[in-house]
């Protein structure tokens, strides 16, 4: 299979799966685990939050369910609205993960859109890269911002397809194409994908991978959708590698016209 | 003395260490990370880190998120 000879490489590490998934919004940890397994994802995002003081000490921990030995855990900075908070969160994440320094940087602009605050995203990316972090960065679909983040040294550029959790698909494929044209590090679509065909579209365009959470967790049957996404991402990648047929203005018969019994 | 843990005021004994605080909060076995007055305190230093009045401690863990 082409999948085996076609690894996704992020920060020097190879992955067979080109689907990265989040762990938010699931009913419970069991559903989270089953969805991850069905998706085939090898990179899984988590959020970093205050522990509840006085909570049940026997409560299962997310990292017991998705073990860092089995998966590449990608801590995110979701919920941070400025560079300082995002940098603090990444440093806590690195300590939490015993020095593992791959992070998903997202600095948000406002609650309504969850659009990236690109000014603070650039500021935080710069500080984190200098501090030795490998930064996968969530950003807008602005090619100039993407280029800036690449030149800072981010290991992956992750433009949004549409707003986080919106399920509106890839609203500006042209911009994602422009970003990919020049970018030397993997470009992933992060956010916006709503269903399998949209994941396939991202992959057919030539994106290196897709990162999603709500499209799976928000489906009526998240585990079945996780499986659908796995297939869509694989199908989209293979279609990209295969190279689609050219579009034609008029029909072109698939069966030979010679030898027909008509006429 | 009083310290602040995850934004809440907490009464603790004087000169308590970080590791004692963690076990008092029954967080010992969890996968956690700690920041003291905005500085990360590595796991290996929890035993020797003595807290003082009005210290601000943040204790975090991983939860589900995209």
């Amino acid at each position: 299979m082409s999948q085996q000879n076609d690894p996704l490489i992020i920060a020097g590490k190879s992955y067979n799966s080109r689907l990265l998934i989040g762990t938010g919004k699931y009913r419970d940890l069991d559903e989270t685990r089953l969805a991850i397994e069905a998706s085939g994802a090898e990179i899984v995002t988590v959020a970093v939050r205050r522990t509840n003081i006085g909570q049940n000490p026997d409560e299962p921990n997310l990292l017991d369910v998705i073990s860092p030995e089995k998966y590449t855990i990608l801590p995110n900075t979701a919920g941070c609205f400025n560079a300082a908070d995002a940098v603090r969160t990444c440093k806590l994440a690195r300590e939490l993960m015993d020095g593992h320094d791959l992070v998903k940087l997202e600095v948000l602009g406002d609650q309504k859109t969850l659009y990236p605050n690109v000014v603070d995203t650039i500021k935080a990316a710069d500080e984190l890269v200098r501090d030795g972090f490998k930064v996968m960065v969530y950003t807008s679909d602005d090619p100039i911002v993407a280029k800036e983040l690449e030149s800072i040294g981010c290991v992956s550029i992750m433009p949004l397809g549409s707003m986080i959790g919106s399920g509106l698909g890839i609203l500006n494929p042209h911009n994602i194409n422009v970003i990919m044209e020049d970018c030397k590090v993997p470009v992933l679509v992060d956010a916006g994908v709503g269903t399998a065909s949209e994941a396939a579209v991202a992959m057919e365009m030539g994106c290196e991978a897709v990162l999603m959470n709500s499209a799976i967790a928000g489906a009526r049957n998240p585990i079945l959708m996780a499986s659908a996404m796995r297939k869509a991402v694989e199908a989209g990648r293979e279609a990209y590698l295969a190279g689609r047929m050219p579009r034609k203005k008029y029909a072109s018969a698939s069966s030979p016209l010679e030898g027909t019994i008509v006429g | 003395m009083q310290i602040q843990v995850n934004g809440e005021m907490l009464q603790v004994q004087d000169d308590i260490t970080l590791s004692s605080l963690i076990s008092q909060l029954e967080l010992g076995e969890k996968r956690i990370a700690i920041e003291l007055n905005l500085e990360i305190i590595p796991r290996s230093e929890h035993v020797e880190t003595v807290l003082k009045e009005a210290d601000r401690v943040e204790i975090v863990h991983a939860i589900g998120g995209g």
Side-chain angles (χ1 to χ4, degrees):
Chain A
M1 292 294 288
S2 63
Q3 295 285 319
Q4 281 163 351
N5 316 318
D6 175 39
L8 166 68
I9 299 172
I10 291 176
K13 195 172 168 195
S14 294
Y15 301 92
N16 290 316
S17 169
R18 291 177 177 270
L19 174 57
L20 289 69
I21 73 170
T23 54
K25 300 182 181 172
Y26 287 98
R27 204 164 359 137
D28 51 36
L29 288 180
D30 218 36
E31 189 181 70
T32 312
R33 178 180 58 81
L34 291 170
I36 294 169
E37 284 170 8
S39 75
E42 296 166 290
I43 303 177
V44 175
T45 70
V46 302
V48 177
R49 290 290 179 274
R50 285 172 164 171
T51 55
N52 289 321
I53 303 305
Q55 72 190 4
N56 176 6
D58 300 323
E59 197 179 304
N61 186 287
L62 179 66
L63 296 183
D64 296 331
V65 175
I66 45 161
S67 103
E69 289 77 45
K70 193 167 168 199
Y71 296 99
T72 294
I73 307 295
L74 181 62
N76 69 25
T77 62
C80 292
F81 288 82
N82 61 62
D85 286 347
V87 169
R88 266 178 81 192
T89 302
C90 288
K91 288 180 177 172
L92 279 162
R94 182 165 61 183
E95 165 65 12
L96 187 63
M97 302 306 302
D98 297 318
H100 170 77
D101 50 15
L102 186 71
V103 290
K104 170 180 164 180
L105 172 65
E106 55 178 299
V107 185
L108 304 171
D110 69 28
Q111 287 284 2
K112 187 176 177 185
T113 65
L114 298 180
Y115 246 72
N117 172 338
V118 295
V119 176
D120 271 40
T121 299
I122 288 169
K123 218 186 287 177
D126 192 46
E127 202 174 327
L128 289 167
V129 170
R130 282 171 205 270
D131 196 10
F133 282 95
K134 298 179 182 94
V135 180
M136 301 178 71
V137 61
Y138 166 70
T139 183
S140 62
D141 58 13
D142 181 330
I144 305 302
V145 173
K147 200 171 283 185
E148 183 65 26
L149 290 165
E150 185 191 358
S151 72
I152 284 170
C154 293
V155 299
S156 171
I157 308 297
M158 308 198 292
L160 50 80
S162 51
M163 282 184 256
I164 292 174
S166 70
L168 291 173
I170 299 169
L171 294 182
N172 197 341
H174 183 70
N175 271 27
I176 309 265
N177 272 322
V178 174
I179 290 172
M180 286 190 297
E181 215 172 85
D182 277 344
C183 197
K184 306 280 187 297
V185 297
V187 175
L188 280 66
V189 163
D190 178 5
V193 164
T195 188
S197 55
E198 291 159 0
V201 164
M203 295 308 295
E204 285 174 3
M205 284 167 55
C207 290
E208 290 279 344
V210 180
L211 197 165
M212 65 179 73
N213 190 151
S214 303
I216 296 175
R220 199 171 59 239
N221 182 338
I223 296 152
L224 190 55
M225 186 57 89
S227 161
M229 289 299 184
R230 171 191 203 147
K231 291 167 185 162
V233 167
E234 285 177 7
R237 178 65 181 177
E238 288 186 7
Y240 167 73
L241 293 175
R244 61 154 296 143
M245 62 161 280
R247 286 183 170 84
K248 291 173 191 155
K249 197 170 177 190
Y250 293 108
S252 161
S254 299
S255 309
L257 290 175
E258 276 167 37
T260 55
I261 57 165
V262 265
Chain B
M1 64 176 185
Q2 278 221 319
I3 59 169
Q4 205 184 94
V5 180
N6 288 359
E8 287 175 34
M9 296 311 290
L10 206 66
Q11 191 70 37
V12 294
Q13 76 218 46
D14 289 358
D15 299 330
I16 191 174
T17 62
L18 256 188
S19 49
S20 304
L21 177 71
I22 296 163
S23 56
Q24 270 183 31
L25 296 172
E26 299 187 305
L27 295 169
E29 298 305 313
K30 300 219 163 224
R31 298 175 190 257
I32 53 168
I34 298 194
E35 191 191 70
L36 171 60
N37 302 326
L38 303 180
E39 290 291 326
I40 303 288
I41 308 295
R43 228 176 289 278
S44 58
E45 294 173 20
H46 290 177
V47 179
E48 67 211 44
T49 303
V50 177
L51 299 179
K52 54 185 195 315
E53 178 80 29
D55 270 350
R56 295 168 58 124
V57 182
E58 290 286 346
I59 308 175
V60 301
H61 63 161
I63 64 156

